[in-house]
């Protein structure tokens, strides 16, 4: 489909008076409803009394509609339409519909021209224009010159008729040469016989080829029938290993169920183990936090005891400022307490030295403090260290 054909079609339909505006984009994709509507309108425009089916809902109805339109145009207007292109309902259908619109458009233009000529003749009855007759005068002058020349040549030929009559009569009276005529006829007959033999050979070849093809077709049919019977036999016979296969398949299904159950249990136990580890970690962290708080409380109690002992002995104790390393440098060495150094009563004294011990002694000190923390809390106000 060309752009010019689509443009001409739209312009012709507009000139013929089609009520709907047709765009060039309507036929980019198949549009059977529009094509059917245009065909119905064109048929009615060509013959208003025509009876064409209008139902195009189903595929069969559309095919019947296209065939009816093509048959109507072929019988009434002698226009041959391609039904396949019409059924495509795209640009190729426009080419087929353009044949109908061209006939109707040319008829309309001819009618308009006839009406125009009639009007001009009516006007020419009352008005004579010499300028419009100049071409007719030229044509009449040319015809007059041709008649003159033809008449002169005819006169010359008639003057030679006497001699030509004698020659014509002699040629007619001369007898025909039968031998040459026979030769020509025999040659023509030979050519005809050769063509006939050639045609017969071709027909014989066609017959032999047809017999060969029929034999091949029959052989293929027999082979197909044998293969079908063999297939039915194979489908009806049960293989020897099928029982073993079904048994192995059942065992495999059982093993698979066992595997799924074990895998599910394993996944559950792993989740329980992870939960147990998480709870253990939380308990461990809680114990560490508790121990850390207890150690800080023991340090505070120890600091309070040392402060009260130094206050009794009138020794200044530095404030707890800065880091632990500064505090260890400023304050005197911790006393080394023993279990026997704690005395009950109002004048109780702690026996030990003020020098710091090693890490084992410090840990022993912490252990003793933890074990005797109730006793330390119950020491009287007059207790002091020596």
């Amino acid at each position: 489909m060309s752009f010019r054909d689509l443009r001409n079609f739209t312009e012709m339909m507009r000139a013929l008076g089609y009520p709907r505006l047709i765009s060039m984009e309507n036929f980019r994709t198949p549009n059977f409803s529009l094509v059917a509507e245009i065909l119905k309108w064109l048929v009615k425009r060509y013959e208003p009394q025509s009876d064409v089916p209008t139902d195009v809902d189903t595929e069969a109805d559309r095919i019947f509609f296209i065939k009816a339109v093509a048959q109507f145009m072929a019988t009434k207007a002698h226009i041959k339409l391609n039904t396949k292109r019409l059924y495509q309902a795209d640009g190729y259908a426009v080419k087929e519909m353009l044949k109908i619109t061209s006939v109707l458009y040319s008829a309309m233009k001819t009618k308009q021209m006839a009406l125009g000529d009639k009007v001009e003749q009516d006007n020419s009855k009352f008005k004579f224009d010499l300028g419009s007759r100049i071409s007719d005068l030229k044509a009449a002058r040319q015809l007059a010159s041709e008649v003159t020349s033809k008449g002169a040549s005819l006169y010359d030929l008639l003057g030679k008729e006497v001699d030509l009559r004698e020659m014509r009569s002699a040629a007619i009276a001369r007898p025909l040469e039968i031998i040459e005529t026979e030769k020509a006829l025999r040659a023509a007959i030979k050519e005809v016989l050769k063509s006939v033999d050639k045609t017969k050979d071709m027909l014989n070849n066609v017959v032999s080829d047809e017999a060969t093809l029929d034999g091949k077709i029959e052989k293929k049919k027999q082979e197909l029938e044998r293969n079908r019977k063999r297939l039915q036999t194979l489908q009806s016979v049960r293989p020897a290993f099928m029982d073993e296969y079904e048994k192995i398949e059942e065992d495999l299904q059982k093993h698979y169920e066992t595997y799924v159950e074990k895998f599910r249990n394993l996944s559950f136990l792993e989740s329980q183990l992870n939960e147990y580890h998480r709870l253990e970690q939380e308990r461990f962290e809680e114990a560490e936090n508790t121990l850390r708080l207890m150690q800080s409380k023991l340090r505070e109690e120890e600091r309070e005891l040392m402060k009260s002992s130094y206050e009794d002995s009138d020794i200044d104790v530095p404030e707890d400022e800065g880091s632990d390393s500064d505090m260890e440098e400023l304050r005197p060495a911790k006393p080394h307490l023993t279990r026997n150094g704690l005395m009950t009563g109002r004048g109780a004294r702690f026996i030990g030295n003020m020098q710091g011990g090693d890490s084992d002694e410090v840990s022993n000190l912490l252990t003793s403090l933890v074990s005797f923390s109730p006793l330390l809390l119950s020491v009287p106000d007059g207790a002091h260290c020596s």
Side-chain angles (χ1 to χ4, degrees):
M1 178 196 67
S2 62
F3 177 78
R4 183 170 57 185
D5 294 338
L6 186 58
R7 183 191 60 189
N8 293 337
F9 178 73
T10 55
E11 293 296 332
M12 288 180 184
M13 292 296 292
R14 188 180 297 112
L16 289 173
Y18 184 65
R20 177 178 173 180
L21 183 62
I22 301 175
S23 175
M24 295 184 182
E25 299 294 331
N26 292 135
F27 299 100
R28 298 295 181 187
T29 57
N31 192 354
F32 191 85
S33 59
L34 180 59
V35 172
E37 183 181 352
I38 292 172
L39 288 174
K40 293 174 189 176
W41 188 83
L42 290 174
V43 170
K44 292 292 182 182
R45 181 65 185 268
Y46 192 86
E47 186 175 350
Q49 303 299 327
S50 62
D51 187 11
V52 177
T54 59
D55 191 8
V56 292
D57 294 334
T58 62
E59 182 179 357
D61 294 337
R62 291 194 291 268
I63 294 172
F64 183 71
F65 171 74
I66 293 294
K67 286 183 178 179
V69 171
Q71 186 177 3
F72 175 81
M73 285 298 168
T75 55
K76 298 293 183 179
H78 301 287
I79 300 174
K80 186 178 180 181
L81 299 176
N82 192 336
T83 55
K84 291 183 179 180
R85 291 186 176 180
L86 285 175
Y87 192 78
Q88 289 178 1
D90 54 1
Y92 293 101
V94 173
K95 284 188 175 182
E96 301 301 321
M97 292 187 292
L98 189 60
K99 299 177 183 178
I100 308 173
T101 54
S102 299
V103 173
L104 294 175
Y105 184 74
S106 61
M108 184 184 69
K109 296 294 288 185
T110 304
K111 184 177 180 181
Q112 290 178 357
M113 291 176 65
L115 291 175
D117 293 339
K118 187 176 181 180
V119 171
E120 289 180 0
Q121 289 177 3
D122 294 338
N123 293 332
S124 63
K125 290 179 181 179
F126 304 99
K127 181 179 180 181
F128 179 76
D129 188 5
L130 184 61
S132 63
R133 299 291 181 175
I134 293 176
S135 59
D136 296 338
L137 292 174
K138 289 181 179 180
R141 187 179 299 171
Q142 186 177 0
L143 289 174
S145 61
E146 288 180 0
V147 168
T148 304
S149 60
K150 296 292 183 182
S153 61
L154 180 61
Y155 178 78
D156 293 336
L157 293 174
L158 290 174
K160 297 178 182 179
E161 175 61 23
V162 179
D163 298 334
L164 294 175
R165 186 185 298 122
E166 293 177 357
M167 294 173 64
R168 184 169 61 252
S169 60
I172 293 171
R174 187 179 64 183
L176 295 175
E177 297 178 359
I178 298 174
I179 298 173
E180 293 181 358
T181 306
E182 288 179 354
K183 286 182 180 180
L185 291 174
R186 286 172 184 171
I189 290 169
K190 285 182 180 180
E191 292 294 331
V192 173
L193 291 175
K194 285 182 180 179
S195 64
V196 170
D197 293 336
K198 196 172 185 179
T199 305
K200 286 181 179 179
D201 294 337
M202 292 174 66
L203 290 174
N204 293 329
N205 292 332
V206 169
V207 172
S208 62
D209 293 341
E210 185 178 0
T212 304
L213 290 175
D214 290 339
K216 289 182 179 179
I217 291 171
E218 189 65 26
K219 190 181 295 183
K220 291 293 183 182
K221 285 182 179 179
Q222 293 176 1
E223 186 177 354
L224 178 61
E225 189 66 25
R226 287 196 302 269
N227 290 330
R228 284 180 178 173
K229 290 181 180 179
R230 186 178 177 186
L231 177 61
Q232 291 177 0
T233 305
L234 292 175
Q235 288 178 350
S236 61
V237 174
R238 183 179 176 85
F241 56 85
M242 185 57 69
D243 296 334
E244 184 179 358
Y245 172 77
E246 292 178 353
K247 184 177 179 181
I248 292 173
E249 189 175 7
E250 291 177 358
D251 294 340
L252 179 61
Q253 184 68 26
K254 293 179 181 179
H255 288 309
Y256 178 73
E257 292 176 357
T258 305
Y259 164 74
V260 171
E261 183 178 0
K262 290 184 178 181
F263 181 78
R264 190 183 298 115
N265 294 335
L266 180 62
S267 300
F268 175 73
L269 291 175
E270 286 180 352
S271 63
Q272 292 294 321
L273 181 61
N274 293 331
E275 184 69 19
Y276 176 75
H277 287 165
R278 187 181 63 80
L279 294 176
E280 287 294 325
Q281 183 68 23
E282 291 179 356
R283 291 194 193 97
F284 180 74
E285 291 177 357
E286 186 177 356
E288 281 189 348
N289 293 332
T290 305
L291 182 60
R292 197 176 292 112
L293 291 174
M294 190 177 295
Q295 288 177 357
S296 60
K297 185 183 293 185
L298 290 174
R299 288 195 188 97
E300 291 294 332
E301 292 176 355
E302 181 184 359
R303 191 176 293 112
E304 291 294 332
L305 289 173
M306 292 177 64
K307 186 176 180 181
S308 61
S309 63
Y310 280 112
E311 285 179 355
D312 294 339
S313 59
D314 297 331
I315 298 175
D316 294 331
V317 179
E319 297 292 332
D320 188 7
E321 296 179 356
S323 62
D324 294 339
S325 60
D326 296 336
M327 183 180 66
E328 291 292 332
E329 291 177 0
L330 292 174
R331 69 185 180 183
K334 295 179 181 179
H336 184 67
L337 300 178
T338 61
R339 293 184 179 180
N340 297 325
L342 185 59
M343 302 288 294
T344 58
R346 189 167 184 84
R349 294 176 179 268
F350 288 98
I351 301 172
N353 56 9
M354 299 299 291
Q355 303 297 326
D358 53 2
S359 60
D360 295 335
E361 294 176 352
V362 173
S363 61
N364 293 329
L365 176 61
L366 291 175
T367 304
S368 61
L369 287 174
V370 170
S371 58
F372 291 102
S373 56
L375 297 175
L376 291 174
L377 293 175
S378 60
V379 173
D381 295 336
H384 61 275
C385 296
S386 61

